[in-house]
Amino acid sequence: MKTLSTKKLAETVKMLRETKGFTKEELGTITGINRIMIGRIEREDFIPSIIQFEALAKTLGFDITDMFVEKEKTNSFIALRSEALSDNEKEGVDKLFKMMLSMRQQIILRRKFENETEYNA
């Protein structure tokens, strides 16, 4: 699945703006986008609306579809597939699971204690 690359957009807008000799304010006037927002786009801190995106593409001369990249697959569940982990990562995952189990035991003990305190009161 393709997704918008804010990095690619930021680099493209800044490079083309400077190549064409526009200040942020000049580009903002032409596109109708506030100069502050142009700066935020260039810092990857703002995603323009579709209308703003089209205005930037038209003014600077880039193809909108070039700003989309194939979404990287994440390894959200890599911890469950131990063959994909290094020895150091496996050790970290083991520590994490031990901490989680310890916290669970503490919660269970705390609840028991709280229940006993209620009955003795």
Side-chain angles (χ1 to χ4, degrees):
M1 180 169 100
K2 291 202 174 210
T3 185
L4 175 66
S5 170
T6 54
K7 181 178 181 176
K8 195 169 187 180
L9 177 62
E11 291 170 351
T12 301
V13 168
K14 185 172 184 172
M15 188 264 306
L16 290 174
R17 178 182 63 77
E18 290 175 349
T19 300
K20 293 185 182 277
F22 293 134
T23 64
K24 291 174 189 169
E25 190 164 341
E26 290 169 332
L27 181 58
T29 300
I30 296 167
T31 60
I33 304 170
N34 185 295
R35 68 175 172 75
I36 294 170
M37 301 318 265
I38 299 287
R40 288 184 62 196
I41 291 168
E42 292 181 359
R43 289 190 310 275
E44 299 179 54
D45 189 39
F46 177 74
I47 298 172
S49 70
I50 293 172
I51 293 169
Q52 293 170 329
F53 200 6
E54 289 173 336
L56 285 169
K58 183 179 178 186
T59 304
L60 296 174
F62 65 86
D63 188 340
I64 289 175
T65 59
D66 291 341
M67 299 302 111
F68 289 82
V69 295
E70 198 63 41
K71 187 175 181 182
E72 295 178 16
K73 293 181 180 178
T74 60
N75 292 324
S76 300
F77 299 102
I78 196 165
L80 302 176
R81 295 180 22 226
S82 62
E83 73 276 358
L85 299 175
S86 69
D87 289 339
N88 196 21
E89 291 169 325
K90 287 179 186 177
E91 185 178 317
V93 170
D94 286 342
K95 283 183 181 178
L96 180 62
F97 281 130
K98 285 177 185 174
M99 287 171 47
M100 290 169 62
L101 287 172
S102 176
M103 288 179 66
R104 184 174 184 270
Q105 289 172 337
Q106 288 178 8
I107 290 168
I108 291 170
L109 288 171
R110 191 171 289 144
R111 283 182 184 158
K112 276 187 175 181
F113 176 76
E114 288 171 355
N115 286 337
E116 286 177 11
T117 305
E118 286 176 13
Y119 288 117
N120 291 334

